[in-house]
Amino acid sequence: MLVPVEWINDYIDLSDVSVDEFCDRMIMSGSNLETCDWFCEDVENVVVGKIARIDKHPQADKLVICRIDIGDREAEGKDEEGLLQIVTGAPNVFEGAYVPVALSGSHIPGPLHGQPKQEGGVTIEKGALRGVESYGMLCSAGEMGFEDKVVPIAHRDGIWILDPAVYEGIEEKIGMDFVDALELKQAVVDFEITPNRPDCLAQVGMAREAAATFGKPFCYPDTDIQQEDGEGASADYVSVEIKNPENCKRYVARIITDVVIKQSPWWLQKRLMYAGMRPINNIVDFTNFVMLEYGQPMHAFDIREVHGGKIIVENAKPGEKFVTLDENERTMEGDMLMIKDAERSIGIAGVMGGLNSEIEEDTKTVILESANFLGSSIRTTSKKLGLRTEASARFEKGIDPNLSEAAADRFCRLVELTGSGKICKGKIDCYPNPAAAKTLDVRVSRINYVLGIDLTREEMAAMLKGLEIKVEGKGDIMTVTPPTVRQDLLEEEDYIEEIARMYGYDKLPVTLPKGNTEAGMPEERHLRDMAREALCGMGLNEIQTYSFVSPSGVDKIRIGEDSWERAFVRLINPLGEDTSVMRTVLTPNMMEVLARNYSRNIDTVRAFEIGNTFMDNPINPDKLPDEDYALCIGMYGKGCDFYALKGIVEELLDSMGIRKLVFEAESEYGVYHPGRCARVLVEASDAMKAAGEEYEELGIMGEIHPDAAANFGLDGVRVYCAELMFGAIARKANTEIVYQPLPKYPSTSRDIALLVDEKMEVGNIENVIRQKGGQILESVRLFDVYRGAQVEDGKKSVAFNLVYRDKNKTLTDEEVTNVHEDVLQALKEKLNAVLRDM
């Protein structure tokens, strides 16, 4: 929000406040300042001149020789008549024109016409153009440092012509410093306005803030219409009907007759330019001026183009074509609010008017619209059309409906002051549900407690009244009623903030927060930290990869077409195909990291990642995607094999209190080698057992399939990976440490070597041993698998160490033997496993 300090002085006297102090105090009262720029500060030796005579250039058809009257101002190159000779190619110069003249040796910001901007500006020196001496330069507004977007339309192309009808008193300022004559040197402050303060998107709003900050009186703009001398009353010309009162809260219309389209006075043009808008003509400028002044967007229609004398506010017809003022045809949707006459649409409500009803040079009667539209409706329309304007930006944030009447009156007053037309009596005001301010009780003691200060009720009341907040009640309770323009004041905390702003953030005491809250950590996050610590302790390095991945990653690891791993969450606007979906598994990312390290000749890598995975929900599209944590371990190189990976997984889960794992062989999952892959299982919960499930899966591990490894450039490399579901691990984890006393009684161990079928899984053998070993079986450990000459084909020898111990007594050899024999008998009956001589 650009705020010219000169404009603010129209409402509050800041003549005794420097610009630096103004900026500092406004910051400390809560107005965030971005920049403060001075205009025309570096313009030197540029004066007001009058073109007395124009002669043709003897050597160039496109150049003319101007004789400039600069009064009594001394300058190099004056002739006997006291005129200054300047050669120019500007097409809009004429005898009698008042222009800015840069004398020889002057300095202007630039850039010069047709040239790039030079840092530090441009110094003008005398020179010769096609053999004729030129002692300076006639300047355009752009050469004086104004951006093209704010240069008045009347002299956007060519020299800045100072029309006496616009620049009042310019005839008496010949020879005067141009910057002083037009009062161009001033500061413009750019404030960052937060979305909750749309009232500050107006000069009046910022002036109100300044008045409260500096404790100075504040006066509103002049809206007192002196004479309503237009023919008839406004209601005689047009009627207004709101068919969608939910999206149009208020519509005020006034009629101006005998309109004279001309340039606005310089004082108004200057304010528009410094606020970032281009002056066009008086009627358009008045609407822009009032919008910047009050924050209330306005629009003017040529009454000749409003058919039937009706203004109707209703939604567009689906598919309706409409041409806006920027001459673009747009296709409307049924939820877009339109301004219509009796036959057709003439404007997009709150966004932009229509080309079919714009103000023309010969317009004599206009309908002024000052309306209030629902912010969410305007935001939706603006977004769908890709059309964002100054008006829509303000409506989107919410505008006080009570501003509509005052803004319309201000426009009419400007018309009256500038002789731009005649105001018809009265107004048409459709206001179905008038907005009222919300009254609230706030506590003086609470404000002092929160801010750590000690202000009296009277001091607080004075601060709030400076913000035009009505204060009633007595004692500790202040009953406050804000102006309706302050739509952000809803709770007691909002008023605490107002007191803090007006008191001054720089004056608030610095104190530490009080309380006995203890920092905590969610259990699952604690488990993730435990996993990181355990894996790093086993020599693995943690990696972190992007959640946005390519859908081809699952192809490279040989995932089936109908697999759940392909339920991607797809990005609407991805940077590229490589980051177009969100990952469902971590294994492709891990393989890419391993391949990258292998390509850089890293002999051995052991890595892990704990990260989010995302799963779309195609059955219920309205439901948010499922998000969960997964843990992936990847390794290759020296000392890396299936059993090393299995040991890491067992140690990791043991550190989280998950024991008695079952590793079930898996041969159908395409990611892993069919003979070197296992699913990691653990005993199911009671609920799952009731549903018939014996085990719950925690993940899968094994050697990556050679074809999958080759897809990542790891041809011939034996890569081992495990991917575990961290959510399942968290459900089964038990990190509570229970004291176990040292055993009082001795143990005894027995070694057995069993001859079993080659396909027999060791886990099944362990399960049978544990089931028959009963309470005295303390541990079972596989220590050897043998295939050789002493073992027939299709068989293998597996050797276990069984440890027996009773916690309450010393076991006899007979007791151990009886249990041990039961174990052997069960192995023979259930698994056809027989003892082999050791």
Side-chain angles (χ1 to χ4, degrees), residues 711-725:
N711 289 336
F712 288 90
L714 292 164
D715 306 68
V717 182
R718 302 184 75 167
V719 181
Y720 301 89
C721 282
E723 181 142 354
L724 306 177
M725 298 175 286

Side-chain angles (χ1 to χ4, degrees), residues 331-351:
T331 302
M332 313 308 293
E333 297 183 14
D335 60 347
M336 296 178 178
L337 195 65
M338 302 293 289
I339 309 299
K340 302 181 179 182
D341 60 18
E343 301 174 4
R344 57 186 181 158
S345 296
I346 56 175
I348 304 174
V351 181

Side-chain angles (χ1 to χ4, degrees), residues 651-684:
E651 181 63 26
L652 168 66
L653 297 177
D654 182 75
S655 69
M656 298 186 198
I658 304 176
R659 301 176 182 90
K660 297 183 180 179
L661 300 175
V662 175
F663 293 87
E664 183 182 86
E666 171 61 61
S667 59
E668 301 298 326
Y669 194 52
V671 179
Y672 296 95
H673 192 295
R676 300 163 190 163
C677 175
R679 295 195 178 274
V680 184
L681 310 176
V682 70
E683 185 179 357

